[in-house]
Amino acid sequence: MEHTPFPSWPESAPQLIAVAAGRAPADMVIRGGTWVNVHSRETLPDHDVAIAAGRVAFVGTDASHCVGPETEIIEAQGRFMIPGLCDAHMHIESGMLTPAEFARAVIPHGTTSMFTDPHEIANVMGLEGVRLMHDEALLQPVNIFTQMPSCAPSAPGLETTGYEITAEDVSEAMSWPGIIGLGEMMNFPGVIHGDPKMLAEIAATQQAGKTVGGHYASPDLGPAFAAYVAGGPADDHEGTCEADSVARVRQGMRSMMRLGSAWYDVESQITAVTEKGLDPRNFILCTDDCHSGTLVNDGHMNRVVRHAIACGCAPLVALQMATINTATHFGLEREIGSITPGRRADIVLSSDLTKLPIETVIARGQVVAENGVVMVDCPHLNWPAKARNTVHLGHELTATDFEIAAPAGANRIRANVIGVVENQAPTQALKSELPIIEGLVEGEGDVCQIALVERHRATGGVTNAFVSGFGYQGRMAIASTVAHDSHHMIVVGTDRAQMAMAANRLAEVGGGITIFREGEELALVELPIAGLMSDSPATEVAAKAEQMVAAMQACGCQLNNAYMQHSLLALVVIPELRISDLGLVDVRTFEKIDLLEPLA
């Protein structure tokens, strides 16, 4: 299916002018609503909105002069007319869905614009994968803007990806029609130290007049942070406390506060606005990562706005953070983010600004959802066979591939252990004294094994380590080909035979998530596209994901959104301790460290 570009404001201006002046009829008029004006931060009752060519032509107290015999009339009945919600930073792949199915899942929640960074598929398929995501995004009835991934690998020298993104790739992508900027610059040490490749990517983006996304996952707000800001990133979503958000806006960045499936970073930062009184126009709401279950059961940006309000933010301010603030940041204030003349007619009707029920969703001038039901088609791309064949282990794995040999003569040993922190992206760098049985180091108590299985080049490589915090019990294992950001395969388990079964199962089905206990498969979520996504409807994927969560709980894990924690254990750009195909990585120093240490 070919993408048809949405007509620009200049192309539509003659029709918009004629409708606003009453010389031509509108395509649609929303009558008798309360206009939520995010420019002036006020609500104005008894207003009409006239729409033509997918754009707003007129907003005023009486649009009767815009009505013709064929004009569609929507009676707002006093409901709030809210700009369509924008997600400023997100990864579609985290929903385990393709762009088409992700759009279908979030449209009923009032999301009409998304700014997506497909760096997950970039790590697996390179520029070709990014182009596939970009092309399917352009087919959708809502606005999906693509940020060109910046860091594949995210930490050069500390991981091996399926493909590497180059500065030349970034420069090429800047000419694509749906590219809005550069994805999160995760290699913040590279920027701080003036890495030529990172600076070339930033330069290519700035020279194209586009926005550079940031990612500064460090508590250091001294000279290192200043150097990162001087490099060009314009925003950051890695803040976790008020001081982080304050530092970012004071240095001219936008503070993006996220509420995803596992990230709860709004409440701890929004006090910069609600208590400290900083200008809210420099604060933006986003999700970053939302899995399909959250989208189906809890919502998307409507959930984030409600949460911000519950944290003490005024409703109109929270809505600004999810509409006009985002549009302004990406240079699209004249295109999206408000219900004003010339802008895309992306409008949500809701009867309550605090509870934010999403009753009618209009995108580009057409009703796309009504009371939770999608009313339009979300076209699919024909994904090539290459995208469905990305899990290559090299050989069938056995329990011996997951053995951790101990030094000769020892009975116990100290191990560096990855400590999972509930609802937080950072991990803890722990040390545990573990037993040695028949020459092998074994987990004990809450410490179990983790392995990263190479799946891009069929090397047969397996990196073994230890992790704690999941609470798994019995003989079990969970494996996933979603393994941010290199997306090899992460296997966590209490039994090496179960770990081998889980890994081999994912090779058989082409990727996804599986859980084994006592030789039986308890749950399977198939993700055949790049081992990251399914092109099945979100409801189906969410149902399988719920079975997965139930299986994790049956195996003893009670963490909130534990799977998201699992999928991030190889993310070697967020402290403190991570695993990669090259070994155990201390992200505080960006150095590989030994797994085992002798007891003192």
Side-chain angles (χ1 to χ4, degrees):
M1 181 177 179
E2 290 294 322
H3 161 61
T4 302
F6 184 68
S8 67
W9 185 344
E11 291 170 332
S12 305
Q15 184 178 358
L16 299 176
I17 294 167
V19 170
R23 296 192 299 269
D27 299 325
M28 175 188 291
V29 168
I30 306 172
R31 194 157 57 189
T34 300
W35 179 23
V36 176
N37 192 313
V38 291
H39 289 283
S40 59
R41 200 188 301 158
E42 58 183 337
T43 57
L44 302 166
D46 302 318
H47 272 67
D48 299 347
V49 178
I51 298 167
R55 294 180 179 271
V56 175
F58 171 88
V59 187
T61 55
D62 185 3
S64 59
H65 66 291
C66 305
V67 176
E70 303 299 323
T71 301
E72 180 182 357
I73 305 295
I74 295 178
E75 299 291 353
Q77 298 178 319
R79 288 179 292 175
F80 294 99
M81 301 182 294
I82 301 167
L85 303 178
C86 307
D87 191 345
H89 174 75
M90 55 170 289
H91 307 284
I92 284 176
E93 302 99 317
S94 293
M96 299 183 283
L97 304 167
T98 57
E101 291 303 326
F102 198 101
R104 189 190 307 276
V106 303
I107 286 171
H109 299 307
T111 301
T112 59
S113 295
M114 292 170 267
F115 295 81
T116 72
D117 178 355
H119 70 210
E120 323 303 349
I121 201 169
N123 280 272
V124 179
M125 295 184 65
L127 192 62
E128 180 183 2
V130 177
R131 185 73 204 217
L132 290 167
M133 295 288 285
H134 165 278
D135 289 354
E136 184 164 296
L138 288 179
L139 298 177
Q140 304 314 310
V142 291
N143 314 309
I144 303 182
F145 302 99
T146 301
Q147 294 176 288
M148 176 60 197
S150 62
C151 300
S154 59
L158 296 177
E159 64 179 353
T160 309
T161 56
Y163 284 83
E164 181 177 344
I165 293 296
T166 66
E168 291 74 22
D169 291 335
V170 171
S171 183
E172 176 185 337
M174 288 300 138
S175 66
W176 298 353
I179 294 291
I180 195 66
L182 187 67
E184 56 181 304
M185 179 52 70
M186 293 179 290
N187 186 4
F188 59 91
V191 175
I192 292 166
H193 293 99
D195 179 89
K197 178 188 173 186
M198 298 297 100
L199 298 189
E201 291 184 4
I202 292 172
T205 306
Q206 293 174 324
Q207 288 162 3
K210 300 180 187 293
T211 304
V212 178
H215 170 117
Y216 185 76
S218 170
D220 183 354
L221 298 176
F225 175 61
Y228 183 71
V229 178
D235 56 63
D236 186 52
H237 57 275
E238 290 296 335
T240 59
C241 63
E242 181 186 280
D244 288 339
S245 60
V246 170
R248 282 150 178 77
V249 299
R250 283 179 176 170
Q251 293 293 324
M253 301 178 88
R254 260 51 176 231
S255 172
M256 291 186 175
M257 302 176 292
R258 62 185 172 186
L259 177 73
S261 290
W263 318 140
Y264 290 75
D265 297 322
V266 175
E267 184 174 10
S268 59
Q269 296 185 88
I270 206 165
T271 52
V273 173
T274 59
E275 297 178 12
K276 206 172 184 68
L278 271 62
D279 185 347
R281 288 299 301 275
N282 292 309
F283 292 80
I284 292 172
L285 296 172
C286 67
T287 64
D288 197 356
D289 298 289
C290 274
H291 62 59
S292 55
T294 301
L295 300 178
V296 170
N297 300 315
D298 301 323
H300 190 232
M301 283 306 297
N302 57 331
R303 168 178 175 256
V304 186
V305 173
R306 285 196 302 263
H307 176 68
I309 294 169
C311 292
C313 189
L316 290 181
V317 173
L319 285 169
Q320 285 181 316
M321 292 177 179
T323 57
I324 192 64
N325 293 11
T326 303
T328 301
H329 176 59
F330 287 100
L332 293 174
E333 185 175 335
R334 304 283 290 173
E335 192 68 19
I336 63 172
S338 68
I339 305 173
T340 45
R343 278 69 170 184
R344 299 186 186 192
D346 299 337
I347 302 169
V348 173
L349 297 184
S350 176
S351 55
D352 191 307
L353 274 191
T354 301
K355 297 178 181 177
L356 210 62
I358 306 299
E359 292 152 0
T360 300
V361 183
I362 297 166
R364 302 178 193 168
Q366 67 170 335
V367 176
V368 293
E370 194 81 56
N371 295 317
V373 178
V374 178
M375 311 294 286
V376 293
D377 182 38
C378 294
H380 283 243
L381 199 69
N382 183 20
W383 289 82
K386 180 180 180 181
R388 298 177 182 273
N389 182 27
T390 63
V391 182
H392 311 288
L393 302 189
H395 64 87
E396 184 173 341
L397 300 179
T398 66
T400 58
D401 289 299
F402 299 94
E403 293 179 349
I404 299 175
N411 294 318
R412 296 186 70 82
I413 197 165
R414 181 179 293 110
N416 286 300
V417 176
I418 302 170
V420 172
V421 181
E422 187 173 28
N423 293 331
Q424 291 287 319
T427 63
Q428 293 178 317
L430 305 176
K431 294 182 185 293
S432 294
E433 185 178 324
L434 298 177
I436 297 172
I437 302 173
E438 296 182 358
L440 300 178
V441 184
E442 302 287 356
E444 186 176 62
D446 189 41
V447 177
C448 62
Q449 281 196 223
I450 178 174
L452 188 138
V453 178
E454 198 282 331
R455 68 142 169 139
H456 298 313
R457 294 178 172 82
T459 65
V462 178
T463 302
N464 290 296
F466 293 100
V467 65
S468 75
F470 286 113
Y472 290 129
Q473 299 171 0
R475 297 174 60 245
M476 59 74 60
I478 173 173
S480 170
T481 51
V482 178
H484 301 276
D485 275 332
S486 57
H487 295 292
H488 289 288
M489 183 190 297
I490 292 177
V491 189
V492 172
T494 61
D495 179 82
R496 289 184 285 272
Q498 309 300 310
M499 294 173 76
M501 282 187 275
N504 292 329
R505 176 63 166 152
L506 293 189
E508 175 188 343
V509 300
I513 310 139
T514 186
I515 300 177
F516 275 75
R517 183 178 64 184
E518 299 291 345
E520 177 187 358
E521 187 175 54
L522 301 185
L524 173 66
V525 183
E526 300 97 331
L527 302 175
I529 297 177
L532 303 172
M533 298 174 289
S534 168
D535 50 3
S536 297
T539 50
E540 294 181 14
V541 178
K544 292 184 178 182
E546 287 176 5
Q547 293 177 350
M548 171 195 69
V549 171
M552 294 177 77
Q553 293 172 343
C555 292
C557 181
Q558 302 302 318
L559 292 180
N560 180 52
N561 284 304
Y563 169 69
M564 191 64 78
Q565 302 289 353
H566 174 104
S567 70
L568 293 172
L569 291 170
L571 186 53
V572 293
V573 291
I574 296 183
E576 294 180 347
L577 199 59
R578 304 282 168 174
I579 191 172
S580 88
D581 62 306
L582 301 180
L584 204 57
V585 178
D586 187 332
V587 187
R588 296 168 298 184
T589 60
F590 279 87
E591 295 177 342
K592 290 178 285 186
I593 63 172
D594 292 334
L595 171 62
L596 305 176
E597 300 175 354
L599 292 174

